[in-house]
Structure formats: structure tokens, C-alpha cells
Amino acid sequence: MEFVKPELEYAELLPILIVLGGACVGVALEAFLPRGTRRLPQVGLAAVTVIAALVATVVVGMDLDTHKGADGAEGRGLVGAMGSVVVDGPTVYLWGLLLVFALGGVALFAEQRLEGGVSAFTGQAAALPGTESEREASTRGLEHTEVYPLLLFAVSGMLLFPASGDLLTMFVALEILSLPLYLLCGLARRRRLLSQEAAMKYFLLGAFASGFFLYGAAMVYGYAGSVSFAGINEAVRAGTANHGLLLAGIGLLAVGLLFKIGAAPFQAWTPDVYQGAPTAVTAFMAAGTKVAAFGALLRLLYVAFGGERWSWQPMLWVIAIASMVLGAVLAIVQNDVKRMLAYSSVAHTGFILVGVLGVQSAGELAKGQYTSLEGVLFYLTTYGFAMIGAFAIVTLVRDAGGEATAYERWAGLGRTSPLVAGAFAFFLLSMAGIPLTAGFIGKWAVFTSALSAGAWPVVLVAIACSILAITFYVRHIRLMFFTEPSADGAGVVTRSSLLTSGTIAVCLVATLVLGVVPGPVLDLVTRTGDFIR
């Protein structure tokens, strides 16, 4: 056999390379800098890395060539890294979105004023909760600055996940983004047992989901004789034998991806992990993981299994309905803000899956209609800003024991801290899909794309669940503004640094602008084009 020298398109892959390089430099800083001097270099490195990758993403997006696939679909981009990475319009848009959310994550990670001069991460992860070693680490004000390289490694995996051109690259990306998150979830400074429990649940269930994904990849390879999405697509359209092997492979691959997006019935980890993880990690994970996983799911279903859509669409109908109903119903009975937002996230997963059911090709739509890809990309944009902003506000509502996430501690917050309560209420209204908020436009985009594909029964369920979801959103708003504050109510920390308040302000402005003037972003999403193979 003749050896073929691998070729990499370094310019187009620069955003991923920058983030990976920054993460490796961060590991080197941990090795060579004294512990007391690491924080500022690590924060600065993480911020500069993310900003540099964002600039590179913009440059890459402005220089994509037009690419016409074998099926006639036109897109922009290239298939690089010997077919392993696809840099096209949807990939670049998702990269930009992920890096913006990562910048918010860096800001929330770096916040110290809320905890009296230390970060929200434990000072010594190896110390058992309640031991003398833990108390000593807390007294000395130690913190784990390893969280910044871990954040960058997770971001690199998120960037690679939706850009994967074959199943093996997608599996590697899945592990790169997952393993750092497992660690970050267990590093909370307060309520460490709850945090460690969340990390363990996330790790064990994630390991099972990864196993399902890898087994599904093996089955699909047995069917198609290839792990590349283009090769799988050709085998599917040619009608290769052993169709049952293909269906089993699609099902197992779907388990791995549906776990990452938190869809029912694979959502059991979501409320426990969202509640137990440090809230800064929860904010970043809720937005970033959802964006990356949905990008990967769309590429897998539309590119590799587009010719088998009549087999996987019924499965998604059931999962979308189950996610919306379960998320909306269980969110109503919660009495903890973080768990309420977690079940709200499950419901939003169902809403986004409604958009995935839409027609995938622009050629099948009437003028002015949005494709499922465009609708889902816009919804992910609105969802991410609302989630990061909401969880950032959760870090502000505190009492002597730290964050006060129990419902009764939020009673009367609108009277004692109207600005904070008003911002949180606005994010909740956006999640509910109220007009003049970004959430309304996002739901309109995915619902119309699903209607164009004839999935009106699912859209009817989605509308009913949206109305049901208003119940627990309005309930919390009523608690903040129309309930007398208790004598021992939580106090809002008004001395938060520019890091947290700036993140909230940016998310608030984005949520408002995307609801009032969505045209520019919708046009940007439309210009991304289709996936290429």
C-alpha cells in the first residue's frame, strides 16, 4: 500500500488549533508557576485565547469558497483534515456562538468578589469534605486555577464536535468536551458533597452514553464499510444490504447524542448536575454543550443519514414530545431555581428537536420560509444567551451559606433588588416565548420549519407545552414581585465585579435585540448555507 501524506488546512482549522494551543499553554503554566501567582496569567490566557479564536473564526467565515455537493445542494466551505473535519457555513456560525458563550464562561469562572475574594471553585479537590485539610485550604484562600485549561479543552471539543466529518472524529470530540466537564462539575467550593455527587452521576451516565455511541459507530461501519459521513450517505442512498444493522446503528448513535443534549428519556442527569455543579460551570455547560451537541446531531442526521430520514424522524417525534411534556410538567413541581432551570432546559431540548424535524433543504421550501437548520441555529442563539444570563443572576442571590437557590429565599426579591429581579424575569419571559423577547422569535422559527415538513401534531404539542411552561415561569416572577420578603430572605450581592454584571448585561441586551430586531441575525443564519459533504 502506498503511504499518503496527511494534509491539514491550518488556516481553516485555526480556531480549534488556537484553543487547543491555549489549553496546552495553560497546563504548562500550572506546572511552572508558583500556586499563588497562577490566577491572573490563567485568566488572561483563557480570555486572550477565546478572543483570538473568535477573531480567527470571523476571518475564516469571510473567506469560505462556494461548494456544490453531489446532491445539488450548495453550501460554503471545505472538507479538510483528510475528510475528518468539515469547515462550512453552519460550522463557522456554531464556532462563533460557542466562543462567545465561552467568553462568558471565562468571566463567570474568574469572579471572586461574590465569595469574599476567592473563586467558586474548591481550594483543594483532593481533600475530603469536612476534613481539616479542606478547612485549611479554605482558610488560606487556595483555588484551583486548573479550571481555565479544563475550560479551554472543553471548548476545543465543542468546536470539533459539530465540525466532525466522520464518526471516529465525532467520538474523539465527544470525549474531549465531556471529560473536562466531569471534573469541573465536582469542584464547587460550597456544598462539595452535592457537587461530587453531580460529577459522579454525570461521569457514569456519560460513560454509558459514550459506549452506546461507539457501539453504534461500529454497527454503521459494518453496514456502510466507512465511518465518513459522505461514505455512509452513499451507502444509505445505494440501499446496501443489512438494513437492520443500519437502524440499530442509528439508534445507538442517537443515544449518545441525545444524552448530551439532555433529551428524554436520557435527561435524568440534568437536574442533579445543574444543581450540584458550580453555577459558573452550569451556565457554560447549559449553553455550550447544547449548541455543540445539536450541531453534531444535525450533521449526523442530515449528512450521514439524510437518505434514511423516514426511519429516524418517527423516533425524533416521540423524543421531542416526551422531552417537552416531561420538562414542562416536572419544572412546575420544583422548589429550587437551578432544578427549575434544568427541567426548563429539557423542555427547550424538545422545542429544538421540533425544529430538527423540519424540511432540511432550502429547495423544498417556499420563499421566505426557514429551513430546519436555520431555525435550530437561531433558537440555539437565543437559548444560550438566556441561560447564561439566568445562571449568572443565580450567583448573585446569596445568604450566609452561599447561593440561595431555594424558592422561598427569592420571595420579595423584586422589592429589595428590582434590577436583579427584573433582569431574571426578562430571561424567564424569553424562555417562555413571550413576544418582544428572543425566545418568541426562536420558537416561531423552529415551529414554522416543522410545520413546513408536515409535523403539525408535534407543533401542537409544542404550543401546548409552551403554554404550560408559562406556569412555572410566571410563578417565579410572581414570587419575586408579588410576595412579601421573608425576614431571613436572601441578600443580593451588589458588589459583584464587572465580570458577572458585564456578562448579565451582554446577555440581557442580546435577548432584547434578538427579540425586537432579529433580522440581522436571521439573515446571517440564512447566509450560512447547508451542510456540505
Side-chain angles (χ1 to χ4, degrees), residues 145-160:
T145 50
E146 294 95 331
V147 297
Y148 300 102
L150 288 173
L151 171 67
L152 292 179
F153 277 120
V155 172
S156 67
M158 292 176 184
L159 296 179
L160 183 60

Side-chain angles (χ1 to χ4, degrees), residues 250-342:
I250 293 175
L252 291 173
L253 288 171
V255 170
L257 293 178
L258 293 172
F259 171 85
K260 296 309 295 183
I261 63 177
F266 313 106
Q267 86 300 331
W269 63 275
T270 308
D272 293 335
V273 173
Y274 277 36
Q275 182 185 27
T279 306
V281 176
T282 305
F284 167 69
M285 181 172 60
T289 304
K290 196 85 73 178
V291 170
F294 263 107
L297 180 67
L298 286 166
R299 187 175 295 279
L300 183 68
L301 294 180
Y302 287 3
V303 176
F305 303 125
E308 195 66 24
R309 57 189 296 191
W310 302 114
S311 296
W312 54 257
Q313 273 189 328
M315 172 188 70
L316 286 190
W317 277 46
V318 175
I319 292 173
I321 292 174
S323 299
M324 291 184 292
V325 173
L326 186 144
V329 171
L330 292 184
I332 293 176
V333 300
Q334 300 304 311
N335 56 13
D336 183 275
V337 176
K338 292 177 74 173
R339 293 185 72 87
M340 180 269 286
L341 291 175

